[in-house]
Amino acid sequence: MANIEIDGITKTFESKPAVSDVSFEIEDGEFVSLLGPSGCGKTTLLRCIIGLLRPDEGRIAIGGQVMFDAKSGVDIPTEKRGLGMVFQSYALWPHLRVADNVGYPLKLRGLPRSAIDEKVRELLELVDLGDVAERFPRELSGGQQQRVALCRALASQPKLLLMDEPLSNLDAKLRERVRFEIKNVQRSTGVTILYVTHDQAEALSMSDRIGVMKEGKIAQIGSPTAVYARPSNGFVADFVGDGNVLPVTVSGHNMWLKGGENLGSLRLELPEGMRDGQEAFLVVRPEDCVVAPAPSSGSPASARDKDEEGIIATVQQLLYRGRDKEALLTCGARRLRAILNPDMPLRPDSSVIVKFKRFHFIGK
């Protein structure tokens, strides 16, 4: 186990930077996810850390030991970095039984058979696979194979465990189950994990911190709560979760959202440091939209005349999802997504008033 220092890592392919001046640290025993769309550089960064790619610039240190330094020319080979890797494709030896797959790293280290057997049994029981030790990979489900790959990566007690989209080949229910298995293993062993994914649910539910990547850079790094509830820029707000991102303007001592003659206005408490006339973006999650039917006797104009706070919107589409309803609302040229009680009596084309329970501002 060890602290991980990533300092100014840059990797370029054909004059195009895949990773550009990335720096962050991972504490001992921490679970950090790199989250981002395809092509953002997260897997390239992972491969630089493990030594499968040589960065053009930067420095990588694990537990105080420099693994790579472009300036001094240090480049420790992959097999000597003391890291574990779980690939998307499982990468199990098809001709070896489960126990032999898990014990293979220990065999390479020359451990006696009794010690290997004991460690393999311990790891397989940790992920509830004690009864499949004598099976071949082809006799296992996808979820079982992924857990075997996890055990093999843990067998040599790595300083850092790297995981590259390990659940992307599994169906939705199996992904959820294996997420719990991975977190259970991490808590039980205390291993430090750097996890690459494009799945927001995985990153939000498993991580101590999330680094959101865009075009080879870290757009924001922080706790799941911070990244979800307090995104630092529009990209993070839009990519992580379902964010309604709306332009607003400071007016007097309040923030006003206005959008056309029939939209209505919503007065919001002015954030500290905002000045009169300043423009910003308001981020509201769909679950924080409070939607109520508009008064049937009035029009949007009359609602404004009565100084009734709330955005006047029209229901465009409703999607029933069992535990709730998702509504797509139109407010002039803008769209809002809202999560509603499944029993709320709304229908397409009906008028509603929208208020916000929680919100976050991003400066322009």
Side-chain angles (χ1 to χ4, degrees), residues 90 137-147 170 174:
Y90 318 144
R138 64 177 177 273
E139 299 175 298
L140 305 180
S141 69
Q144 289 174 320
Q145 290 185 58
Q146 192 57 275
R147 282 181 280 164
L170 307 181
L174 197 51

Side-chain angles (χ1 to χ4, degrees), residues 319-349:
L319 300 175
Y320 178 71
R321 306 193 304 184
R323 61 185 178 184
D324 57 39
K325 261 182 199 170
E326 182 177 11
L328 177 62
L329 312 174
T330 55
C331 313
R334 300 183 192 133
R335 291 187 174 187
L336 281 175
R337 294 178 66 184
I339 303 299
L340 315 176
N341 185 302
D343 300 321
M344 181 173 285
L346 291 178
R347 64 182 186 278
D349 297 326

Side-chain angles (χ1 to χ4, degrees), residues 77-148:
T78 297
E79 65 274 13
K80 294 183 179 180
R81 295 193 181 189
L83 309 181
M85 183 80 177
V86 179
F87 296 93
Q88 177 179 346
S89 61
Y90 318 144
L92 299 176
W93 296 103
H95 63 289
L96 296 182
R97 298 180 189 275
V98 166
D100 294 325
N101 264 285
V102 175
Y104 189 76
L106 302 178
K107 181 180 178 181
L108 290 179
R109 290 169 55 184
L111 269 65
R113 188 71 217 183
S114 59
I116 294 175
D117 290 343
E118 182 179 351
K119 187 64 177 178
V120 167
R121 182 168 55 253
E122 174 189 324
L123 288 169
L124 290 176
E125 288 176 356
L126 187 62
V127 296
D128 197 26
L129 288 178
D131 59 343
V132 303
E134 296 305 312
R135 296 186 191 176
F136 288 98
R138 64 177 177 273
E139 299 175 298
L140 305 180
S141 69
Q144 289 174 320
Q145 290 185 58
Q146 192 57 275
R147 282 181 280 164
V148 171

